[in-house]
Amino acid sequence: MREGKGISEAMRMPGVKGLSEAEGLSEAEGMSEAEGMSEVKGISEVGVMRMSEVKRKPGDGTTPENVLRKISFTVNGKALTLYVDIRESLLEVLRERLGFTGVKKGCGVGECGACTVLVDGTPIDSCIYLAVWADGREIRTVEGLAVDGQLSPVQEAFVEEGAIQCGFCTPGLVLSTTALAESGKEYSREEIKRELSGHFCRCTGYQNILKAAERAVHEGGHRCAHCEHEREGEKRI
Amino acid sequence: MFNISKYDEAGSLDGALEFLSEHPAAKVIAGGTDVVIKMQGGKLREVELFSIRGLAELKGSKCSPDGAVLLGPLVTFSQIAGDPFLQDNIPVLTQAALSMGGPQIRNIATIGGNICNGAVSADSAPTLLALNAELRLQSARGERKVPLREFYLGPGKVDLRPGELLTGIMVRPEEYLGYHGHYIKFAMRKAMDIATLGVSVLCRVEEGKVLRGVRIALGVAAPTPIRCPEAEAFAEGKTASAETLREIGRLAVRSTKARTSWRASQEYREHLVAELVPRALQEAMRAAGGEGNA
Ligand SMILES: Cc1cc2nc3c(=O)[nH]c(=O)nc-3n(C[C@H](O)[C@H](O)[C@H](O)COP(=O)(O)OP(=O)(O)OC[C@H]3O[C@@H](n4cnc5c(N)ncnc54)[C@H](O)[C@@H]3O)c2cc1C
Ligand code: FES
Ligand code: FES
């Protein structure tokens, strides 16, 4: 114990591993732009920002060369390689350039959780996450949860419990709940509350959201388009 | 779009220190949960960002065979909260980590950023102060070791010299072994809120009630996070009665230089110190009676 098993494990946490891989990836030849992008319908036109599109203010010294970075990442299992502006948030790239409008913009400062996406399985606020940091990462948005038009167990739980009113907070809450359900860990009611405390809902009063999350987390299992996890959650449906 | 004029990434620690010595204007960014917010708010403009996120040397934490814990500055609050070694041996640090922000912030925000940002409300500060943490600071010219207590210079001001990086946070075994602790974050909400007051205490307990080595640290009670030396000295060797605990609370107020802000008045903060220091000590003693670790 003195050797600190937990502590050395911290070094191997998912968030940590990905970064060093990312360095390699940006140079990698393997993932050609065309390959990655042709898989995603409609994205090929917007995927690569043209140099002429770079937002410039007169005289600020901005040139395409110093504000554009080529990054490779996956969104909902699809590999993409594209140029992003160093000034862009991941929210802006996902929502405005790639069309994942399930990623909502609320406060823009990390408070409300509407912009939550999963990066390598971990919920983060994409409004304060620089787009360049997505290099080498696996991103999941709410669009990636349903398979062939069938909602994921977490989505089903939100429907069943009536945990939605206007729906603005829902994609973020569903993604955080998905991360909990997929962790395979047990969570008490208090722990679920704590794990969802980075989301604001202005409509529902949270009770139904909590019920939905408990249902999803306790019934366990999940299904998503691009991984083969336990599918126990489906039995319930 | 953020107001960023340049963006570079560090590849190695040596490379980073060299880069920083040549680019004194560069703004270091780790998790970005302070830096990005300052860009959004217009407090930082035309920033030349230098990301240290990729520096493997600054990630993870180590525990040497004698029990000395060295936290990497890039360790996130979620990693601290989820670390079984810390949960078993320094649970007051786990508690402080979990009190910070919400899950998505904890997943990104680093302990090094929390320290270097120098906010008086930083949730890691009282506990690391109570643990007598020592910082490792490195620049191209060499390494310095600075007790955290001397690192805070004023509101948002820390003793970080140009070109310097925080490279490690050291907690020695004698500072936590045998100690029991408790952190109280007093805020308006249970999550996603900034502390109105932060109280962290550590102590050893002999014969079930005699206090030894009491450390009391406060956030948002003065322009910087502080310790309460007078109260600590008074507490040494005392049997913890309700009256002694009250007196410790009263003496703790003497070390404060609280001010009135929109969050709370000076009087209210002082009242909180007098009230919450004894409560935190009681909780720490309860922990001592229970499982027996800090
Ligand atoms: C919604 C929200 C809620 C928050 N809630 C809390 C809260 O409850 N409690 C709390 O304490 N804080 C809170 N914060 C503030 C912030 O998240 C923390 O201070 C966090 O720990 C900063 O870490 P970071 O890695 O994101 O820092 P960054 O923003 O990357 O950096 C912060 C500062 O430290 C410097 N820096 C970072 N790492 C190093 C290094 N290794 N060497 C030298 N300089 C370095 C940077 O240059 C910058 O000045 C909150 C922030 C947000 C957006
Ligand atoms: S929009 Fe990102 S947290 Fe509110
Ligand atoms: S359903 Fe409207 S914000 Fe949550």
Side-chain angles (χ1 to χ4, degrees):
Chain A
M1 195 62 238
R2 189 51 73 75
E3 286 301 326
K5 183 159 161 260
I7 284 200
S8 54
E9 272 169 17
M11 288 187 232
R12 280 180 265 114
M13 288 198 57
V16 171
K17 198 177 82 202
L19 256 190
S20 49
E21 285 172 0
E23 278 158 35
L25 254 182
S26 55
E27 258 102 72
E29 309 257 293
M31 220 190 292
S32 87
E33 279 170 35
E35 252 174 19
M37 296 199 330
S38 57
E39 291 176 33
V40 184
K41 226 170 84 190
I43 282 180
S44 44
E45 306 100 67
V46 285
V48 178
M49 194 188 233
R50 261 171 268 118
M51 294 286 183
S52 57
E53 282 176 44
V54 174
K55 286 184 191 153
R56 299 181 69 167
K57 279 179 276 150
D60 73 351
T62 313
T63 61
E65 292 72 26
N66 62 30
V67 296
L68 291 185
R69 293 286 188 286
K70 188 158 127 186
I71 65 166
S72 299
F73 62 143
T74 70
V75 183
N76 299 329
K78 304 254 160 65
L80 294 171
T81 294
L82 67 160
Y83 282 95
V84 295
D85 192 307
I86 58 167
R87 299 167 296 179
E88 279 179 303
S89 65
L90 180 60
L91 169 73
E92 287 167 315
V93 168
L94 290 172
R95 190 178 163 78
E96 290 161 23
R97 293 182 44 209
L98 300 178
F100 293 101
T101 52
V103 190
K104 301 297 179 200
K105 180 169 182 187
C107 65
V109 289
E111 306 255 358
C112 74
C115 63
T116 300
V117 300
L118 302 184
V119 174
D120 295 338
T122 303
I124 60 105
D125 296 316
S126 64
C127 67
I128 55 171
Y129 191 92
L130 298 188
V132 288
W133 295 345
D135 194 21
R137 306 284 184 173
E138 278 179 25
I139 314 290
R140 286 165 70 194
T141 73
V142 75
E143 285 89 345
L145 297 182
V147 180
D148 299 329
Q150 217 196 333
L151 298 180
S152 75
V154 173
Q155 289 174 308
E156 288 283 359
F158 272 67
V159 173
E160 304 261 320
E161 296 293 346
I164 303 159
Q165 285 189 26
C166 79
F168 196 80
C169 66
T170 311
L173 276 160
V174 164
L175 286 165
S176 281
T177 308
T178 300
L180 295 182
E182 289 178 4
S183 73
K185 288 188 207 142
E186 282 297 317
Y187 291 90
S188 67
R189 193 179 174 86
E190 283 311 306
E191 284 168 337
I192 293 178
K193 279 192 199 170
R194 187 188 74 205
E195 292 306 313
L196 297 183
S197 63
H199 296 271
F200 290 171
C201 173
R202 318 200 66 174
C203 309
T204 68
Y206 299 107
Q207 278 308 321
N208 291 355
I209 292 173
L210 186 58
K211 279 191 210 152
E214 280 189 298
R215 182 176 187 138
V217 169
H218 294 154
E219 291 184 7
H222 87 295
R223 168 195 79 206
C224 63
H226 49 90
C227 47
E228 287 296 322
H229 296 259
E230 282 297 312
R231 300 203 163 189
E232 279 182 6
E234 282 179 80
K235 284 183 201 146
R236 181 181 56 78
I237 304 166
Chain B
M1 284 268 188
F2 302 116
N3 201 338
I4 301 170
S5 63
K6 244 175 122 249
Y7 179 84
D8 289 285
E9 272 174 9
S12 69
L13 181 56
D14 287 344
L17 297 175
E18 199 182 309
F19 180 95
L20 285 171
S21 71
E22 288 160 8
H23 298 83
K27 180 72 185 160
V28 168
I29 188 166
T33 57
D34 282 313
V35 170
V36 171
I37 302 303
K38 285 182 186 162
M39 294 193 297
Q40 287 286 56
K43 278 193 204 153
L44 281 174
R45 289 159 189 279
E46 304 283 319
V47 200
E48 293 178 26
L49 285 185
F50 185 56
S51 168
I52 56 168
R53 298 167 64 80
L55 291 181
E57 297 96 322
L58 305 188
K59 289 176 189 170
S61 305
K62 291 195 254 313
C63 183
S64 63
D66 70 347
V69 173
L70 186 66
L71 303 171
L74 290 180
V75 170
T76 65
F77 280 78
S78 292
Q79 286 169 340
I80 290 179
D83 192 297
F85 178 88
L86 295 176
Q87 287 166 359
D88 288 347
N89 293 280
I90 321 183
V92 61
L93 195 55
T94 312
Q95 220 185 354
L98 277 176
S99 78
M100 186 270 187
Q104 299 98 311
I105 297 293
R106 290 197 286 273
N107 287 340
I108 292 293
T110 67
I111 183 112
N114 199 237
I115 295 170
C116 292
N117 193 54
V120 66
S121 58
D123 277 307
S124 69
T127 302
L128 290 176
L129 270 185
L131 286 165
N132 288 325
E134 182 189 85
L135 305 183
R136 302 282 155 87
L137 302 164
Q138 251 177 275
S139 72
R141 289 182 306 281
E143 192 188 49
R144 291 197 290 151
K145 294 176 183 173
V146 177
L148 179 62
R149 212 166 164 170
E150 292 166 21
F151 189 64
Y152 293 109
L153 301 179
K157 261 180 78 182
V158 294
D159 181 20
L160 192 65
R161 298 180 185 159
E164 236 172 16
L165 281 179
L166 172 60
T167 53
I169 302 130
M170 164 70 89
V171 178
R172 296 209 162 73
E174 61 271 25
E175 307 293 353
Y176 71 87
L177 289 174
Y179 280 85
H180 308 273
H182 193 75
Y183 180 60
I184 298 178
K185 174 177 182 172
F186 189 90
M188 297 306 145
R189 302 181 75 247
K190 276 198 203 154
M192 299 301 290
D193 202 355
I194 300 300
T196 302
L197 186 78
V199 178
S200 198
V201 302
L202 279 180
C203 62
R204 284 179 283 122
V205 182
E206 287 173 3
E207 293 149 33
K209 52 187 187 301
V210 179
L211 292 168
R212 294 279 176 205
V214 172
R215 290 96 173 264
I216 302 168
L218 305 174
V220 215
T224 63
I226 52 162
R227 285 275 290 266
C228 304
E230 228 179 312
E232 292 178 4
F234 171 82
E236 182 59 32
K238 292 274 187 325
T239 300
S241 64
E243 183 42 44
T244 335
L245 290 178
R246 258 201 304 279
E247 185 58 19
I248 294 172
R250 271 197 292 271
L251 289 173
V253 177
R254 291 211 203 160
S255 301
T256 66
K257 283 197 195 72
R259 60 179 192 100
T260 297
S261 76
W262 64 267
R263 261 179 233 285
S265 66
Q266 179 190 337
E267 293 75 13
Y268 185 49
R269 283 209 169 87
E270 289 174 353
H271 171 71
L272 287 175
V273 172
E275 210 42 58
L276 297 182
V277 165
R279 261 192 231 178
L281 269 172
Q282 255 166 344
E283 286 300 324
M285 288 171 59
R286 195 165 298 156
E291 280 150 11
N293 251 317

